[in-house]
Amino acid sequence: MPVLNERAYLEHAIESVLAQDVDVPTELVLALGPSNDGTTELAQRLAEQDERIRLVDNPAAHIPVGLNAAIRASRYSTIVRVDAHSELSAGYAARALRTLERTDSANVGGVMHAEGRTPFQKAVARLYNSPVGLGGGAYHGSSQEGEAESAYLGVMRREVLDEVGLFDESIRRGEDWELNLRIRQAGHRVWFDPELSVTYWPRESWIRLARQFRATGAWRGELVRRFGRRNGIRYFAPPALVLLVLLALVTGILQLTGVLGGAVSLIVSLLVYAPLALYLLLVLGVALAPRGGGVRQRLWTTLVLPTMHLSWGIGFLGGVLRGARDTVDASRLGTRNTPLP
């Protein structure tokens, strides 16, 4: 479990891990980044209370670096990746181990089920769980078991990780997708089991959400630079929306200044404004749909959905054009979380 500034979530995440009932020895290796909110002190206290918890340092604070440090320090033949912002469902580990054996897979993952406490977080969680929000990846709600492109978090055979190499430490986001690509290229199977469920708690504020999605989009753009068409077509929808918005702004300026007029202006308006109008109707439709929550949650939905798409798309375009370089998820830095009840 890589950990950075997760004081509000860490104890709940650890409890869900240690509560897993399996008939083999277990340990929990925390890779501690340089937190400034008391997370490290909390982790040390929890480690003193349970000998199954072990600590390693991750001074770089990068997720793949921390994951590799934890994997190298681990002692057992199966690696269960977990997240400090998540909670494993009861029976998760036991089910995953059975699925690994039943399907002869190298990596098994399940559903990322987002939850929220505030109206904002509930709006984000609802969109995480919707194909409209994150593009319909299997782990966002599919009920069909089978081979998969990637796996959320992942329960992995250590021997396969040793064979293909651990996480690529030059990739700050999307490192799981790239690892699973190498696993599949080596002839092994990645499997999705919808009976496996992990509760994920999204970012708690609009600015943190925008930062998270911009960074994630930048690294997907980097992955497109590196691996081209191996990336699914759904990844290109948000940058297309960004380009459409930019085109609409340019068109509007040209029309206001009289540069663009007549029949040409009408045709361009239909081509540019109509798709944007349909997108706005989609946003409103999602916000007003049944089970969309209270008024505040619905209002947040109208802001959160385009924020997710546009932030991701802007990051993606930057990642494709100049590479992700040293882009980090700034939403995880410098936080001051309040412990949950």
Side-chain angles (χ1 to χ4, degrees), residues 301-318:
T301 298
T302 63
L303 178 62
V304 165
L305 184 56
T307 295
M308 291 166 62
H309 291 162
L310 292 174
S311 297
W312 202 98
I314 291 170
F316 179 94
L317 291 172

Side-chain angles (χ1 to χ4, degrees), residues 214-281:
R214 190 192 70 82
T216 304
W219 280 103
R220 177 53 59 178
E222 175 68 32
L223 292 174
V224 168
R225 286 170 64 96
R226 298 191 190 191
F227 302 105
R229 295 178 63 183
R230 294 188 182 93
N231 293 268
I233 190 66
R234 70 179 185 273
Y235 297 123
F236 295 86
L241 175 63
V242 172
L243 293 176
L244 188 62
V245 170
L246 292 176
L247 184 58
L249 291 174
V250 172
T251 300
I253 292 172
L254 293 178
Q255 290 174 330
L256 289 173
T257 56
V259 175
L260 192 64
V264 174
S265 177
L266 178 60
I267 294 173
V268 172
S269 295
L270 289 174
L271 293 175
V272 174
Y273 298 141
L276 282 180
L278 290 175
Y279 178 76
L280 292 176
L281 288 175

Side-chain angles (χ1 to χ4, degrees), residues 62-204:
H62 297 312
I63 291 176
V65 176
L67 286 170
N68 286 347
I71 292 170
R72 292 188 182 103
S74 64
R75 297 171 290 187
Y76 300 122
S77 60
T78 305
I79 302 297
V80 182
R81 176 179 174 176
V82 290
D83 186 1
H85 227 65
S86 302
E87 296 172 24
L88 303 183
S89 61
Y92 176 92
R95 168 85 187 193
L97 291 175
R98 292 195 300 268
T99 302
L100 270 179
E101 294 302 318
R102 173 173 59 86
T103 62
D104 191 29
S105 297
N107 190 9
V108 168
V111 175
M112 180 183 74
H113 182 73
E115 292 281 358
R117 292 184 172 89
T118 66
F120 173 83
Q121 200 177 40
K122 288 179 180 178
V124 178
R126 179 168 170 260
L127 295 173
Y128 261 84
N129 297 330
S130 166
V132 177
L134 293 183
Y139 61 83
H140 292 301
S142 173
S143 60
Q144 184 66 44
E145 182 178 11
E147 292 193 46
E149 175 186 18
S150 187
Y152 175 58
L153 298 181
V155 178
M156 299 164 273
R157 297 183 189 273
R158 175 64 179 271
E159 61 183 6
V160 174
L161 291 180
D162 291 337
E163 174 190 341
V164 303
L166 304 184
F167 289 93
D168 185 337
E169 296 184 2
S170 71
I171 299 175
R172 305 292 185 236
R173 305 284 292 181
E175 70 288 337
D176 49 353
W177 180 89
E178 189 276 336
L179 173 63
N180 283 296
L181 175 62
R182 281 186 280 127
I183 289 174
R184 291 186 289 108
Q185 288 176 333
H188 301 289
R189 180 178 294 167
V190 177
W191 195 264
F192 170 73
D193 183 353
E195 295 301 317
L196 297 173
S197 179
V198 179
T199 298
Y200 172 79
W201 300 100
R203 298 298 187 261
E204 307 89 344

Side-chain angles (χ1 to χ4, degrees), residues 7-20:
R7 183 172 179 268
Y9 295 90
L10 182 62
E11 192 162 5
H12 291 264
I14 288 178
E15 287 176 357
S16 77
V17 173
L18 298 182
Q20 297 297 308

